[in-house]
Amino acid sequence: MKLAFPENYAPMIWTENGQMKGVVIDVLNTVLRNKLSIETQYDGYPWARAQVNVKKGLADAFITIPTPERLEYTVCSKEPVFFGNIVIYTYVNHPKRDEILAIKSAQDLLNFVLVDYRGNGWLKSKLPDAKVVWTDTLEQTYKLLANKRADIIIRDTVNFDFFARDHKYTDRIEKTSVIVDTINIHLCINKKSEYASILPDFDNVIKDLRKEGTIEAIIDSYTKPSVPMN
């Protein structure tokens, strides 16, 4: 089973020394290889290209948000593999901080310049008219925000917690309490793939792993600070 992923989306997944690693790989190895006895091949690409590969059938599947566009060519697990809140990040001492903290909906974000990585389906589907500075990698988005090249990042907390685990960026980026959406990330398989039939079994295993706390433990292994907080 060939799976296509973004090559730089730590800690969920990234390429290092020619190998894919991260939370997603650990979870999929547990489910697909260990529980369902399915051989897997993981390949990293620029995220937009990874999606094209699944759409064309060059790869069988990816892990992502099931947007309407993606559902045109994939069938997705009923059980989310991961889920979480999408929150607002801004740079420390932003002159419009009060306005940012008063944001109530995704539409309010149109008043600001956002920064995100190319291929982000959530942003494209929710805010196609947003002013966005696009980058090639996830970490570049944090660097640009820290350097005040944009006003806001909208992202789940796992990514930032990974990059900030050694207190990197925490003195320049503020993680606000503003939640603009809740996301569910699923295994999505090309409708023509021979592996589309595994989804019911996949759902059952994911439910079991969540009850056991296995998925949460894998995430914690990547995001807990390596240096104790004072």
Side-chain angles (χ1 to χ4, degrees):
M1 183 175 181
K2 296 180 179 179
L3 295 103
F5 298 106
E7 56 191 347
N8 291 296
Y9 196 67
M12 300 308 289
I13 192 157
W14 75 96
T15 305
E16 187 173 303
N17 298 323
Q19 297 292 320
M20 301 299 297
K21 62 187 301 184
V23 173
V24 171
I25 297 300
D26 291 353
V27 171
L28 289 182
N29 281 342
T30 301
V31 180
L32 297 177
R33 293 184 179 180
N34 300 346
K35 300 290 187 179
L36 300 181
S37 300
I38 296 173
E39 292 187 20
T40 56
Q41 176 180 319
Y42 307 126
D43 296 304
Y45 308 93
W47 183 218
R49 180 182 166 193
Q51 294 173 74
V52 169
N53 283 1
V54 174
K55 186 174 184 177
K56 290 183 175 180
L58 301 175
D60 293 292
F62 46 38
I63 297 276
T64 191
I65 301 169
T67 62
E69 179 182 356
R70 292 165 180 159
L71 288 172
E72 290 179 2
Y73 58 91
T74 66
V75 57
C76 300
S77 61
K78 293 181 179 179
E79 195 70 23
V81 185
F82 308 103
F83 55 84
N85 293 326
I86 296 290
V87 302
I88 288 177
Y89 296 81
T90 188
Y91 59 80
V92 171
N93 296 323
H94 193 291
K96 294 185 177 180
R97 181 176 182 272
D98 289 343
E99 292 181 35
I100 292 172
L101 296 182
I103 288 174
K104 300 296 183 184
S105 69
Q107 289 300 308
D108 295 336
L109 294 166
L110 295 175
N111 298 322
F112 300 92
V113 176
L114 313 180
V115 57
D116 216 325
Y117 68 100
R118 290 183 177 86
N120 184 336
W122 183 91
L123 190 54
K124 288 183 176 180
S125 64
K126 295 283 187 178
L127 294 169
D129 299 324
K131 294 169 284 190
V132 184
V133 178
W134 295 104
T135 69
D136 291 324
T137 70
L138 184 62
E139 187 167 13
Q140 286 175 353
T141 66
Y142 296 120
K143 288 180 178 178
L144 288 179
L145 185 65
N147 291 324
K148 304 181 180 181
R149 298 281 299 279
D151 299 308
I152 286 173
I153 287 175
I154 314 141
R155 187 156 297 125
D156 65 272
T157 60
V158 172
N159 299 123
F160 184 74
D161 288 346
F162 173 78
F163 286 108
R165 67 197 187 286
D166 295 318
H167 313 303
K168 191 176 183 180
Y169 301 118
T170 52
D171 60 335
R172 292 184 292 162
I173 293 178
E174 176 184 359
K175 178 166 66 175
T176 76
S177 59
V178 181
I179 298 172
V180 294
D181 201 0
T182 300
I183 59 165
N184 293 302
I185 299 174
H186 298 250
L187 173 67
C188 297
I189 303 177
N190 184 293
K191 291 178 179 179
K192 297 180 181 179
S193 169
E194 62 180 300
Y195 294 99
S197 61
I198 73 164
L199 287 173
D201 290 336
F202 181 87
D203 284 331
N204 289 332
V205 175
I206 287 294
K207 282 191 283 188
D208 290 342
L209 293 181
R210 183 165 294 116
K211 288 178 183 177
E212 296 166 2
T214 302
I215 295 176
E216 184 178 358
I218 291 173
I219 294 172
D220 286 346
S221 72
Y222 286 89
T223 58
K224 284 188 174 180
S226 58
V227 178
M229 299 290 288
N230 292 327

